[in-house]
Amino acid sequence: MDELKQVIYDVEKNRISIDDAVSENGVLPLMKHISWQFDKLPHMLITGGVGVGKTYFMLTIIKACVGMGADVRILDPKNEVLAELKGVLTKKVYSEKDGILTGLRKSVDGMIERMDEMEQMPNYKIGDNYACLGLNPVFIFFDEYEGFMDLLDMKERNEALSYVKQLVMLGRQVGYFLVLGAQRPDARYLADGIRDQFSFCVSLGLETGRGYANFGTGSVLEFYSPIVPKGYDFMSSIKKSLVGVEGAQATAVASGSVSDQTASGEGVSEANG
């Protein structure tokens, strides 16, 4: 028993604070020894029941993505915690059924448009990804995925599955990344090769913020999500990160180091209408 406690302690001491979960050059640290290299390991699947810290973990990643200047979009069919970000991420948050389907469709349309735009760029070379061309990544956070799919009729479900499949199959090169949250990895909604495209998988459930991670190492590692202090204000923190990014982009445009189109995200399809 003492040896087990020591092993747990050794892993837990590698936890980091939410303030240390800052992405640079396509790498987002989640523990001292575990990072999500989303350019190499695209798309994340987060599973876990109610009350195990799944939403807080997603909010932590959202904060980091906003802080890196990514285009962040939220699909929250339960219209709960993530949906509250609509006051910060204007026209980027969907909670109604039709809105979520529209958000998925527009994200796919934007992804395809970006493919064409990248190939037309004068500095494009075969094999270049979005980062090589100075484009910002796009992250689509889809919480309670299986619950949403259960609500759809057959036609709507097939439509949603088609969008999800296109995003996970084609998104990596152009910088479109899907972060899927679900209470259980339902095979019905992750079939036809979809499940295999999630290169970074986290399962929470042993206790709040604790679980396991599998990200292409060939083994499953014990995992602790970044520490979020009690009473942490995600809304204010994400808003502050967004303001900081917008200020930095404005400065870059004024100095001529980037174009106004790149900074504003134009040419990278708006997912909201």
Side-chain angles (χ1 to χ4, degrees):
M1 182 62 71
D2 289 340
E3 291 180 359
L4 177 59
K5 289 181 178 179
Q6 183 61 42
V7 170
I8 294 174
Y9 170 75
D10 288 343
V11 176
E12 189 173 9
K13 72 181 182 180
N14 285 318
R15 292 187 82 174
I16 64 173
S17 163
I18 184 174
D19 293 328
D20 295 323
V22 178
S23 177
E24 292 185 23
N25 302 317
V27 179
L28 173 57
L30 298 173
M31 294 185 70
K32 290 179 181 178
H33 64 307
I34 295 177
S35 295
W36 181 25
Q37 301 180 50
F38 49 84
D39 285 344
K40 297 180 180 178
L41 302 170
H43 317 301
M44 179 183 289
L45 177 62
I46 306 169
T47 59
V50 176
V52 298
K54 188 167 84 277
T55 300
Y56 268 27
F57 183 43
M58 292 189 79
L59 283 166
T60 298
I61 301 173
I62 289 169
K63 174 182 175 294
C65 290
V66 169
M68 75 170 95
D71 181 350
V72 174
R73 305 161 186 190
I74 309 292
L75 311 178
D76 182 8
K78 291 184 70 174
N79 195 24
E80 293 186 342
V81 178
L82 297 188
E84 293 179 13
L85 292 174
K86 63 188 175 207
V88 177
L89 303 174
T90 307
K91 295 185 179 181
K92 301 283 186 178
V93 180
Y94 300 95
S95 56
E96 301 295 331
K97 181 183 72 173
D98 290 344
I100 289 173
L101 289 172
T102 298
L104 285 171
R105 175 179 58 80
K106 288 192 173 183
S107 289
V108 170
D109 289 347
M111 177 182 67
I112 294 172
E113 288 174 12
R114 181 181 270 198
M115 290 178 184
D116 294 335
E117 291 165 0
M118 285 173 56
E119 292 179 359
Q120 298 303 316
M121 290 182 174
N123 55 334
Y124 173 78
K125 301 185 298 294
I126 293 177
D128 280 351
N129 70 358
Y130 74 100
C132 296
L133 299 171
L135 298 173
N136 290 329
V138 178
F139 286 86
I140 301 105
F141 290 83
F142 195 164
D143 199 13
E144 300 297 341
Y145 171 67
E146 85 292 345
F148 175 73
M149 298 297 282
D150 282 340
L151 295 174
L152 304 180
D153 61 32
M154 184 63 71
K155 181 180 178 181
E156 293 167 334
R157 190 176 302 135
N158 288 337
E159 179 184 0
L161 282 171
S162 174
Y163 296 146
V164 168
K165 184 174 182 179
Q166 290 180 76
L167 286 169
V168 298
M169 292 288 189
L170 304 174
R172 174 183 176 182
Q173 196 76 6
V174 294
Y176 273 65
F177 303 103
L178 183 61
V179 179
L180 214 60
Q183 291 192 30
R184 63 186 188 283
D186 195 320
R188 293 176 299 165
Y189 308 138
L190 294 171
D192 199 20
I194 293 175
R195 173 64 178 78
D196 295 337
Q197 301 305 313
F198 287 90
S199 303
F200 199 108
C201 301
V202 173
S203 178
L204 300 174
L206 297 177
E207 60 185 62
T208 302
R210 180 185 171 202
Y212 295 98
N214 183 350
F215 51 99
T217 62
S219 59
V220 177
L221 301 180
E222 189 168 4
F223 178 81
Y224 287 83
S225 61
I227 299 169
V228 179
K230 185 176 181 180
Y232 189 84
D233 189 343
F234 275 103
M235 187 75 72
S236 296
S237 181
I238 291 172
K239 185 175 183 179
K240 183 178 179 180
S241 295
L242 185 62
V243 170
V245 166
E246 290 174 343
Q249 289 175 341
T251 300
V253 170
S255 67
S257 59
V258 300
S259 69
D260 184 55
Q261 183 183 44
T262 299
S264 66
E266 293 177 7
V268 185
S269 168
E270 175 62 58
N272 311 282

